[in-house]
Amino acid sequence: MSAEAVWTPEDIPDLSGRTILLTGPTMGGLGHYTALELARRGAYLILAGRTLSKVDATVSAIRKEVPGAQLEVLELDLASLASVRKAAAEAAVLGPIDVLVNNAGVMGTPYARTEDGLELQMATNHFGPFLLTGLLLPQLVASGAGRVVSVSSLMHTVALKAPLGDPLVKKGRYQRWPVYGQSKLANLLFTGELERRCRAKGVPVSAVAAHPGFSGTHLVANGQTGRASGGIASILDATVKGISQPADAGAWPSLMAVTADLPGDAYVGPSGFKQLGGPPRRVGRSKLAKDTDAARRLWEISEETVGLRYP
Ligand SMILES: NC(=O)c1ccc[n+]([C@@H]2O[C@H](COP(=O)([O-])OP(=O)(O)OC[C@H]3O[C@@H](n4cnc5c(N)ncnc54)[C@H](OP(=O)(O)O)[C@@H]3O)[C@@H](O)[C@H]2O)c1
């Protein structure tokens, strides 16, 4: 697909026989709408979420629209390296995986450290997905042409530097928005480095990234209040929905990244005004996101942090 071409879900081919593992499938979020569309096209979906009742609700909603949908549920808390290891061990019996969609994420959360000593946004948005991808790599390889899709953000451009400090050590005042930006920059650095490492080693897996512009999900409410509804969370949710594109449209870039014929390290996002909305196409990224030295260094830090070297 050329860099200029705009894409719509009509371009999605039949996905029968393809296995796709997607993180963060909660109802109303990008993961839900991404999964729904993939289920319509016949993919076998493994839906990985930290709150099983929420994943079950999404399964019911998808089954209502796609009665024959093939859906598997996996418990996964990306903010816990132990949980990621447990989930990957459970997924190991599910056979080859064609596409891993690292969709789950948090945004602008108050300062917190995980049980592993990592800052919460970096843990959830980068280190957890880094470990998950490494542990699932054998299954991605087994598919013959695996693909890893990372959901980044326009906000990667607010990062003034790559997150290359010791992730276990707090340096200076915590600033929730720059740290979110750094975690989303990390998604792009990860994508580029994974792609380069797989090509260098002849590993049949490619890496691409997507961003949804500004989409009406629960991301703001979850990040600012710790929940998706009730009181101030509902007000935030409604406000975001009033000024952003609908969440189902926000899933289009992810769907393009999962299914379109794209070169490795491609990045897709909305084609509309300032990339906030509209049908997706290939888009550019910040200068920092193209820094291959930073990408290599972040990879080494990540390997050390999660205790896994790959590919
Ligand atoms: N919406 C936008 O405008 C926008 C813009 C740019 C980028 N993005 C990116 O899009 C992705 C999806 O976000 P969204 O907008 O759909 O937000 P959302 O509605 O809040 O969905 C986020 C998903 O991530 C899951 N999640 C959060 N922490 C997790 C953890 N520790 N372990 C496993 N799952 C976890 C949530 O599960 P629970 O429901 O159980 O909390 C939920 O399923 C994120 O990576 C986000 O950074 C969104």
Side-chain angles (χ1 to χ4, degrees):
M1 177 159 229
S2 78
E4 296 74 33
V6 162
W7 179 98
T8 78
E10 284 177 16
D11 295 320
I12 303 178
D14 177 37
L15 298 173
S16 307
R18 311 254 297 160
T19 299
I20 301 174
L21 192 153
L22 174 140
T23 65
T26 303
M27 292 265 291
L30 301 174
H32 167 206
Y33 292 107
T34 306
L36 174 61
E37 210 52 45
L38 297 172
R40 278 195 223 284
R41 310 305 166 114
Y44 166 47
L45 291 172
I46 304 164
L47 302 178
R50 62 174 164 175
T51 317
L52 283 183
S53 57
K54 290 189 184 180
V55 185
D56 288 342
T58 305
V59 165
S60 301
I62 293 178
R63 286 236 160 88
K64 228 170 159 181
E65 298 217 25
V66 189
Q70 300 177 72
L71 307 170
E72 199 81 47
V73 171
L74 187 66
E75 188 169 12
L76 166 74
D77 181 354
L78 287 161
S80 157
L81 298 178
S83 170
V84 174
R85 286 188 200 101
K86 187 163 173 277
E90 279 165 23
V93 299
L94 298 174
I97 294 173
D98 295 279
V99 188
L100 164 64
V101 191
N102 285 319
N103 163 78
V106 288
M107 179 178 78
T109 45
Y111 182 69
R113 291 257 155 196
T114 67
E115 64 193 26
D116 304 296
L118 300 166
E119 185 283 317
L120 181 62
Q121 297 195 78
M122 281 300 295
T124 312
N125 298 355
H126 172 67
F127 290 111
F130 181 89
L131 177 59
L132 183 68
T133 305
L135 293 172
L136 295 180
L137 199 69
Q139 284 162 276
L140 288 157
V141 168
S143 76
R147 184 181 289 199
V148 177
V149 175
S150 296
V151 182
S152 182
S153 170
L154 278 174
M155 287 277 285
H156 83 271
T157 57
V158 309
L160 298 178
K161 55 182 183 180
L164 301 180
D166 182 343
L168 295 171
V169 175
K170 181 169 186 263
K171 232 180 140 200
R173 193 166 63 87
Y174 172 71
Q175 293 180 287
R176 59 178 83 191
W177 301 110
V179 170
Y180 177 68
Q182 283 189 318
S183 75
K184 292 287 128 178
L185 172 62
N187 296 155
L188 290 173
L189 294 172
F190 166 74
T191 297
E193 188 68 13
L194 177 60
E195 174 64 26
R196 283 187 289 279
R197 286 181 183 238
C198 287
R199 293 296 67 74
K201 294 197 171 175
V203 174
V205 172
S206 71
V208 298
H211 83 82
F214 183 27
S215 303
T217 67
H218 305 305
L219 191 66
V220 174
N222 276 332
Q224 299 313 300
T225 69
R227 56 203 171 108
S229 62
I232 187 85
S234 293
I235 296 169
L236 278 174
D237 223 40
T239 308
V240 167
K241 286 196 171 77
I243 56 174
S244 60
Q245 70 171 341
D248 56 350
W252 287 23
S254 295
L255 288 162
M256 177 180 173
V258 171
T259 62
D261 184 12
L262 292 166
D265 198 24
Y267 184 37
V268 303
S271 56
F273 178 67
K274 292 194 179 293
Q275 295 180 29
L276 291 169
R281 66 174 173 197
R282 285 176 60 196
V283 294
R285 68 195 80 186
S286 70
K287 199 173 159 206
L288 276 180
K290 295 178 195 158
D291 183 339
T292 52
D293 286 340
R296 183 182 36 79
R297 183 78 194 102
L298 178 64
W299 192 276
E300 290 163 358
I301 291 168
S302 305
E303 286 183 332
E304 180 91 0
T305 302
V306 306
L308 179 72
R309 290 192 199 290
Y310 68 93

